[in-house]
Amino acid sequence: MDLRAAQYAALTGLTVAEAQSSVATTNVANAGVTGYTAKTTSLTTTVTGSSATGVSLSSITSYVNENLVRSLVAATSDQTYTQTVADYLEALSSALGTTDSETTIADRLTALQTAIADLAVTPESDSLKYLVVEAAVDVADSLNALSAEVQQQRADADQQIEDTVGELNTALAEIDELNEQITMAKALGQDTGDLEDARRVALQTVAEKLDVNYFTTSSGELHVYTQSGEPLVDSQAHTLAYEAAGNVSATMEYPSGFDEITLDGQAVTTKLSGGEIGALLELRDETLPAIQDELDALAATLVEEVNAVTNQGTAVPAAGTLTGTTSRASADSLSGTGTMRIALVDSDGVVDTVVDLDLSTYSTVGDLVSAIDAIDGVSASLDAEGRLVVSSDDSSLGVAINEMDSAAGTAGTGISSYFGLNSLFTGTSADTIRVRSDLAADSTLLATGTLSSDSTLAAGDTGIASGDGSIAEALEDLFGQSVDFAAAGSLGDTSATLADYASSIVSDVATKASTATSEAETADLVAENLSTSLSNESGVNLDEETARLAALENQYAACSQMFEIISEMFETLLDAVS
């Protein structure tokens, strides 16, 4: 080898060592950067004629196990899906309370049962009536609050869908931009390792939002699709759009109550699954509505069962005015049978006036209202909301009603039930249940006794016995016995006490939350293991890079020394010939 060839070999060695050191230094500097893969250099021997004359850097590459990447992408979707479900259910379970916390809806029903039991012993106590009404208000407020919590979570999920769609669009646009840069760099023979790392990170972001399929074309473009085959990125990024509903109520459901998620203007809501968006859709449209159904079943059954008892009773002393809670129209067909009794009684329950009405003689609601209004000393009418109002014309007398064997309407309920007279609760769901407004304001209006059904009852007789607590006792019995519940949410047909059914709702949500948390922890572990495996194969090993830098420094020093020696030899030769 002549001196020039040796000098060239030393020079190329210096250049390559410098380039390799730069790559190793970059690896060390980016060791903690998410998605960064370790870069390695490939060298080519320079040949002149038939002799090796030096070395050159042919490429900078990185090794990535695509099978691991694909597994990690799938695991990432599962990880965010399970974690999103767990977060929402844990929050709802916390709002419902635990079965041993004494703050659940079941505990409030038990408190109501206890207050009623105390009243049954001393039904004439106004303070105990107050405690019963306050406990009933507490139950209704609790159901209202839980319903509001469920709907707020649905609203939060709905808003999060809008936010996540925006984040997804940003990641898709980033993949599209990186596709352009990568294909151009490949065409120019330039290194694309860092660009591919960035694109891989963007793909992970997409997978967090949605379960996807993808492949890389021969030109280096990454094409991404939904699991059902809709393109998200191909030759361009496709745009999703969604606008949250804002306020969400228990009656809102997909598709009538919420907008569609669109992809390039086409509805794709039902075609999206997995990831954060899939979890949010499932929570908003299935999981949370099912829990709302359970709360509604409890509220509706509570209203129906309790009112069925109180509708048979009367306040003691009787109220001067009774106002129904159910709206009726004067022209409504009554379809009535049997007999009802109306009486005016004084504060001691002594009858002033008593009239029995045969419902079969009245065709419409208006006919019956007119007949009641025709009773001496009684006024009756339908108010602006269609509610029956029955009043005593004498302020010293109260109005008492006994349903007797009456039946009205298509459901064939007693006449007090038909009009909602002496109801404790109003509403039909967890969202709408309330304690009757006038009762909430005046607890002495609570029905605790019963107007006598004696066929010989007449003026001067005792119509309501002093200390009559028959309705309070019936309510106490109701809360201690099982009632039938139709299937709702995740709960099947069952027979249980009101408090026990409430406990089953709390337990159902707690079980769902616990299961979701366990699944999230498992998915987390799978994703972490895959990420660690990928990092071990493709990430930066600081020990190896440090050792490589040390070896390259020695290589650089050797080439530098060789170059220096050859330069000195050139100088010696020049001196010899000059």
Side-chain angles (χ1 to χ4, degrees):
M1 178 184 290
D2 61 25
L3 289 180
R4 287 193 179 278
Q7 186 182 45
Y8 177 76
L11 181 60
T12 58
L14 283 171
T15 303
V16 166
E18 184 177 10
Q20 288 180 303
S21 295
S22 176
V23 169
T25 301
T26 301
N27 283 341
V28 172
N30 289 280
V33 175
T34 301
Y36 182 83
T37 58
K39 305 302 184 293
T40 58
T41 55
S42 297
L43 305 181
T44 301
T45 301
T46 303
V47 178
T48 303
S50 60
S51 301
T53 55
V55 65
S56 65
L57 184 66
S58 60
S59 65
I60 299 173
T61 60
S62 60
Y63 169 73
V64 177
N65 186 325
E66 291 299 335
N67 288 329
L68 269 179
V69 172
R70 192 169 294 277
S71 295
L72 180 56
V73 166
T76 298
S77 292
D78 190 41
Q79 182 183 32
T80 52
Y81 171 88
T82 54
Q83 189 59 58
T84 301
V85 172
D87 288 344
Y88 274 80
L89 289 178
E90 284 173 0
L92 183 57
S93 181
S94 177
L96 282 167
T98 59
T99 52
D100 58 355
S101 66
E102 298 184 359
T103 58
T104 68
I105 182 61
D107 297 312
R108 288 173 169 82
L109 283 167
T110 299
L112 175 57
Q113 179 180 3
T114 300
I116 290 171
D118 291 340
L119 179 63
V121 175
T122 316
E124 67 276 8
S125 171
D126 286 345
S127 61
L128 291 178
K129 291 176 185 177
Y130 174 81
L131 292 177
V132 169
V133 172
E134 285 299 294
V137 168
D138 194 30
V139 168
D141 287 349
S142 179
L143 283 167
N144 296 161
L146 292 174
S147 177
E149 176 67 22
V150 171
Q151 298 314 313
Q152 183 59 55
Q153 284 210 12
R154 293 183 73 206
D156 291 345
D158 192 48
Q159 181 59 57
Q160 195 173 338
I161 290 171
E162 179 182 319
D163 297 341
T164 305
V165 163
E167 294 166 1
L168 176 58
N169 283 333
T170 299
L172 295 174
E174 185 177 357
I175 290 175
D176 182 52
E177 182 179 348
L178 288 166
N179 275 345
E180 293 181 9
Q181 296 177 29
I182 288 169
T183 53
M184 182 177 295
K186 282 184 176 293
L188 296 173
Q190 297 173 349
D191 170 47
T192 61
D194 289 342
L195 294 173
E196 290 181 22
D197 287 347
R199 189 173 66 179
R200 205 173 294 112
V201 171
L203 177 61
Q204 285 290 102
T205 301
V206 170
E208 290 173 1
K209 315 305 178 188
L210 204 61
D211 203 358
V212 294
N213 287 317
Y214 67 93
F215 67 89
T216 305
T217 68
S218 58
S219 64
E221 279 189 341
L222 180 68
H223 288 192
V224 186
Y225 296 82
T226 67
Q227 281 292 336
S228 55
E230 285 72 26
L232 297 172
V233 181
D234 42 29
S235 59
Q236 62 180 4
H238 298 271
T239 303
L240 292 100
Y242 181 70
E243 184 174 349
N247 293 327
V248 175
S249 68
T251 58
M252 289 177 63
E253 57 185 27
Y254 173 81
S256 58
F258 298 97
D259 288 346
E260 288 278 3
I261 300 176
T262 61
L263 179 62
D264 291 339
Q266 299 298 312
V268 292
T269 304
T270 58
K271 298 177 180 179
L272 305 180
S273 62
E276 191 174 351
I277 291 176
L280 293 169
L281 287 171
E282 184 176 307
L283 285 162
R284 186 196 70 181
D285 300 334
E286 298 177 26
T287 306
L288 294 172
I291 295 168
Q292 179 70 51
D293 287 345
E294 295 173 10
L295 293 171
D296 287 344
L298 173 61
T301 303
L302 175 65
V303 170
E304 180 181 355
E305 295 292 335
V306 169
N307 287 351
V309 174
T310 60
N311 290 152
Q312 300 175 43
T314 180
V316 183
T321 298
L322 298 178
T323 301
T325 58
T326 303
S327 296
R328 302 292 180 185
S330 181
D332 287 349
S333 174
L334 186 63
S335 303
T337 61
T339 301
M340 65 172 289
R341 173 169 289 178
I342 296 181
L344 295 176
V345 297
D346 65 17
S347 58
D348 294 323
V350 177
V351 175
D352 177 87
T353 302
V354 61
V355 175
D356 291 346
L357 300 175
D358 182 357
L359 297 190
S360 65
T361 62
Y362 311 110
S363 299
T364 66
V365 167
D367 292 340
L368 176 59
V369 173
S370 296
I372 297 172
D373 188 57
I375 297 172
D376 188 31
V378 177
S379 296
S381 63
L382 296 177
D383 67 10
E385 297 179 18
R387 300 174 302 179
L388 175 62
V389 180
V390 183
S391 301
S392 169
D393 296 336
D394 186 337
S395 60
S396 66
L397 301 175
V399 181
I401 293 180
N402 189 318
E403 290 186 321
M404 308 286 277
D405 62 348
S406 62
T410 55
T413 59
I415 198 65
S416 289
S417 296
Y418 181 75
F419 286 108
L421 296 169
N422 289 308
S423 293
L424 174 54
F425 292 110
T426 64
T428 57
S429 65
D431 177 49
T432 59
I433 186 174
R434 305 284 190 277
V435 169
R436 198 179 83 227
S437 58
D438 61 331
L439 178 58
D442 182 2
S443 58
T444 64
L445 299 177
L446 178 66
T448 56
T450 308
L451 174 65
S452 173
S453 60
D454 191 331
S455 60
T456 62
L457 187 67
D461 293 341
T462 298
I464 306 172
S466 177
D468 181 4
S470 55
I471 295 301
E473 292 170 1
L475 283 174
E476 181 184 10
D477 291 342
L478 168 65
F479 276 84
Q481 67 190 24
S482 295
V483 296
D484 293 332
F485 290 88
S490 300
L491 303 177
D493 294 340
T494 189
S495 181
T497 66
L498 292 164
D500 284 346
Y501 188 81
S503 291
S504 68
I505 295 174
V506 176
S507 296
D508 178 49
V509 176
T511 299
K512 283 185 170 70
S514 177
T515 300
T517 299
S518 295
E519 291 176 348
E521 290 172 352
T522 300
D524 234 14
L525 185 61
V526 170
E528 286 178 7
N529 287 340
L530 287 169
S531 181
T532 300
S533 296
L534 183 62
S535 178
N536 288 341
E537 286 197 22
S538 305
V540 176
N541 185 312
L542 289 175
D543 290 337
E544 290 181 0
E545 295 300 329
T546 302
R548 184 175 291 114
L549 279 171
L552 289 170
E553 287 177 5
N554 291 334
Q555 179 181 323
Y556 187 89
C559 290
S560 177
Q561 185 176 8
M562 180 178 177
F563 186 83
E564 184 178 347
I565 291 171
I566 294 171
S567 296
E568 290 176 356
M569 292 175 68
F570 267 115
E571 290 178 6
T572 301
L573 286 172
L574 287 173
D575 288 342
V577 298
S578 59

